[in-house]
Amino acid sequence: AAGVIQSPRHLIKEKRETATLKCYPIPRHDTVYWYQQGPGQDPQFLISFYEKMQSDKGSIPDRFSAQQFSDYHSELNMSSLELGDSALYFCASSLSQVDEKLFFGSGTQLSVL
Amino acid sequence: AQTVTQSQPEMSVQEAETVTLSCTYDTSESNYYLFWYKQPPSRQMILVIRQEAYKQQNATENRFSVNFQKAAKSFSLKISDSQLGDTAMYFCAFYIQGAQKLVFGQGTRLTINP
């Protein structure tokens, strides 16, 4: 069965650079969530989208932006990267915004040097 | 605000033993779901078990079962006949219908020793 695809798996950037993380949800899933998991931390909700519109926002820095495209894939754009942005970034998708079953991708490990 | 608390940062048991991981949560909502996720060293987030708050019957999935005490806002995970492959970080999580996000606890690092 198709799963949530995230790319890239690993990303290394320098401070003050920009990064773009991509997420391809399971086919027919119209809701996408982004989470950030720092080393030894629990995942923290960043932002979610339903039908290409932002549906909820968590502790996402102003330096970060995200969108969901017409094919339902989503991109998380991160600018002016800081050392503290080093984390595992998860994307999850669900069949609808009222479906509590989230399916997670394998994550993108971002390292900021 | 909704919160999830896992009071056991680390646990360790011998293979084949039974282990129980604790989780408490706080909410004033009535329509919600509770989950246990497993995160092995690969860091993939894997759903272990799910419980609907409106169901009194405790969910079970093979060797995994929960003890859901709604009045006490408690949701513990029992792993029977533990296996080496159960070694992982376990997160309790909470989803409120309409809030459209999953809130995680701090996690419990479980080690199964041979």
Side-chain angles (χ1 to χ4, degrees), chain A residues 33 35 37 42 98 100 106, chain B residues 39 44 50 97 100 102 105:
Chain A
Y33 307 79
Y35 283 83
Q37 186 179 24
D42 54 290
V98 296
E100 79 289 352
S106 299
Chain B
Q39 189 176 40
Q44 174 79 42
R50 165 181 166 267
Q97 199 66 273
Q100 294 144 40
L102 205 55

Side-chain angles (χ1 to χ4, degrees), chain B residues 28-101:
Chain B
S28 56
E29 300 289 333
S30 57
N31 192 11
Y32 56 89
Y33 299 82
L34 293 159
F35 304 84
W36 278 97
Y37 280 88
K38 169 185 177 181
Q39 189 176 40
S42 66
R43 303 197 75 184
Q44 174 79 42
M45 197 66 77
I46 301 165
L47 177 63
V48 174
I49 200 163
R50 165 181 166 267
Q51 173 82 43
E52 296 99 329
Y54 59 86
K55 285 189 176 179
Q56 290 187 334
Q57 186 173 5
N58 290 322
T60 62
E61 285 288 340
N62 301 314
R63 297 182 296 108
F64 299 88
S65 62
V66 299
N67 183 3
F68 174 46
Q69 301 290 327
K70 191 171 184 178
K73 296 181 181 174
S74 168
F75 183 62
S76 60
L77 174 70
K78 185 172 85 170
I79 306 175
S80 303
D81 186 26
S82 58
Q83 301 174 358
L84 297 179
D86 295 334
T87 292
M89 191 73 142
Y90 285 81
F91 289 100
C92 179
F94 173 79
Y95 180 97
I96 297 173
Q97 199 66 273
Q100 294 144 40
K101 64 184 177 189

Side-chain angles (χ1 to χ4, degrees), chain A residues 55-75:
Chain A
S55 56
D56 199 0
K57 197 171 182 179
S59 49
I60 184 169
D62 292 340
R63 300 177 289 108
F64 294 7
S65 65
Q67 58 181 324
Q68 186 179 31
F69 294 86
S70 56
D71 64 351
Y72 297 106
H73 95 272
S74 179
E75 294 184 5

Side-chain angles (χ1 to χ4, degrees), chain A residues 6-61:
Chain A
Q6 289 188 247
S7 69
R9 289 295 304 274
H10 302 274
L11 190 58
I12 299 174
K13 291 286 184 179
E14 299 279 338
K15 279 196 310 183
R16 294 179 287 279
E17 285 190 325
T18 296
T20 297
L21 279 54
K22 296 184 179 183
C23 170
Y24 297 86
I26 292 172
R28 295 190 300 116
H29 283 199
D30 58 16
T31 305
V32 168
Y33 307 79
W34 285 97
Y35 283 83
Q36 177 192 56
Q37 186 179 24
Q41 304 293 313
D42 54 290
Q44 294 293 317
F45 172 72
L46 292 178
I47 196 167
S48 61
F49 292 89
Y50 165 66
E51 281 291 343
K52 294 152 279 185
M53 299 287 288
Q54 180 183 306
S55 56
D56 199 0
K57 197 171 182 179
S59 49
I60 184 169

